Amino acid sequence: MTQVLSIAARDKAEILAQALPYIRKFHGKTMVIKYGGNAMTDPELQADFAEDVVLLKLVGINPVVVHGGGPQIEQALNRLGKKGEFIQGMRVTDAETMEVVEWVLAGEVQQDIVGFIHKAGGLAVGLTGRDGGLIRAKKLKMLDSKDPTKEHDVGQVGDIVEISPGVVRALLEDNFIPVVSPIGFGDQNESYNINADVVASKLAEVLQAEKLVLLTNTPGVLDKSGKLLTDLTARQIDALFADGTISGGMLPKISGALDAARAGVNAVHIIDGRVPHAMLLEILTDQAYGTMIRAK
């Protein structure tokens, strides 16, 4: 028994030693993490995620969390007897749906994340786009994917006009972990529901983040045969768009990731949030656990 425990201890020590160069490299750097998928709905994965975020903070990395909440919004709408409607992967958001989106994302979901981080020993603060004028938005003009002359009305779905990250920077400097709900505001103080992947990508650009990490329900970007593509350039991604390999809900995710890489974010990682501690494995080890996107 002692020998087994001793081997396990040596393995753990080796893993910690391997992490040291990465901790040194990323110390003081900002990482924007888009939190979504199963990692948000499985209690064990929720706890794992919070522990990962707190550990990153404790070793001197500055995590900023942007979260989704599609399943939770759908559940809330179902309880109200309202059926969700989607056009080209975007949720149609009328005024009633927008009210549900706000109280689910900025209330239930955000406070759950903040609570898990606090339980793991960190200090988190929840934000929406209104706080500190963080996310100014306008109504999204959605053109039909097959007929560009046709425009779909998706209601209060937003397109980002500007991100003013002062409140996020102030929280980071005061050693808090910002948790951002993807809700923007317009010129008339109206609210907008914005794709969380897009918000995370734009925030990473503005903050000049070292990394953008997108947690998903897939191992990463897969080719048509289901094989994981671990390293992609802009040119390769354009080809995957053209032949339909990347489609549906992955489109805004990959497009935003590519924009962030082109704007100077050093690395964008799309990883499987269903794997316990996937984020630490990707950031602090040599092993590739998802897809990395580079501008060139």
Side-chain angles (χ1 to χ4, degrees):
M1 184 69 175
T2 304
Q3 184 179 8
V4 173
L5 290 175
S6 178
I7 291 171
R10 284 202 303 269
D11 288 343
K12 290 178 182 178
E14 181 65 24
I15 291 168
L16 289 171
Q18 288 177 9
L20 181 60
Y22 295 96
I23 293 172
R24 184 182 295 116
K25 179 179 179 181
F26 300 135
H27 185 87
K29 302 294 179 64
T30 297
M31 294 187 184
V32 176
I33 304 156
K34 190 275 179 156
Y35 178 44
N38 282 47
M40 288 187 67
T41 55
D42 182 309
E44 290 187 10
L45 292 175
Q46 286 176 305
D48 288 343
F49 173 80
E51 290 170 0
D52 290 358
V53 169
V54 172
L55 190 149
L56 291 176
K57 188 70 175 178
L58 289 174
V59 299
I61 297 168
N62 294 316
V64 177
V65 178
V66 178
H67 67 85
Q72 293 91 334
I73 293 169
E74 200 65 26
Q75 289 172 9
L77 290 172
N78 288 339
R79 289 198 297 268
L80 296 173
K82 190 175 178 67
K83 185 174 176 59
E85 180 186 352
F86 292 84
I87 297 176
Q88 295 178 191
M90 288 288 187
R91 182 184 297 278
V92 177
T93 308
D94 58 19
E96 183 181 24
T97 300
M98 189 67 229
E99 288 184 15
V100 174
V101 168
E102 288 197 86
W103 65 256
V104 170
L105 292 185
E108 175 189 338
V109 174
Q110 184 186 84
Q111 292 309 303
D112 274 352
I113 298 167
V114 168
F116 271 101
I117 291 173
H118 287 174
K119 186 177 179 182
L123 292 173
V125 174
L127 301 169
T128 72
R130 293 183 184 280
D131 296 305
L134 178 59
I135 308 171
R136 286 186 55 244
K138 63 181 180 181
K139 183 180 175 69
L140 177 70
K141 291 185 177 180
M142 177 175 281
L143 302 180
D144 188 89
S145 58
K146 297 180 180 178
D147 180 4
T149 63
K150 181 181 178 182
E151 185 177 321
H152 297 285
D153 186 354
V154 287
Q156 289 176 247
V157 174
D159 191 13
I160 296 174
V161 173
E162 182 183 20
I163 288 184
S164 300
V167 65
V168 173
R169 289 197 173 111
L171 288 171
L172 291 176
E173 288 170 6
D174 216 13
N175 286 320
F176 289 100
I177 299 168
V179 178
V180 180
S181 297
I183 299 168
F185 71 100
D187 290 339
Q188 304 305 313
N189 201 35
E190 70 275 27
S191 296
Y192 286 106
N193 179 21
I194 307 175
N195 182 286
D197 294 304
V198 173
V199 172
S201 298
K202 293 295 184 184
L203 190 55
E205 289 180 30
V206 172
L207 290 172
Q208 296 180 307
E210 175 72 18
K211 287 181 180 289
L212 168 64
V213 180
L214 305 174
L215 294 175
T216 70
N217 281 344
T218 67
V221 179
L222 308 177
D223 66 14
K224 287 191 173 181
S225 66
K227 180 183 176 183
L228 176 65
L229 302 171
T230 59
D231 195 354
L232 289 173
T233 64
R235 181 175 295 181
Q236 290 170 320
I237 289 171
D238 288 338
L240 295 173
F241 284 149
D243 70 9
T245 300
I246 298 174
S247 60
M250 286 295 280
L251 282 171
K253 191 183 303 290
I254 305 300
S255 296
L258 185 56
D259 288 344
R262 284 172 167 156
V265 176
N266 283 340
V268 180
H269 301 270
I270 299 174
I271 61 176
D272 193 341
R274 300 168 298 180
V275 176
H277 301 294
M279 191 161 57
L280 291 187
L281 293 170
E282 180 68 27
I283 295 171
L284 299 181
T285 73
D286 292 329
Q287 182 66 43
Y289 280 88
T291 300
M292 183 173 74
I293 293 176
R294 298 176 289 117
K296 296 180 180 179

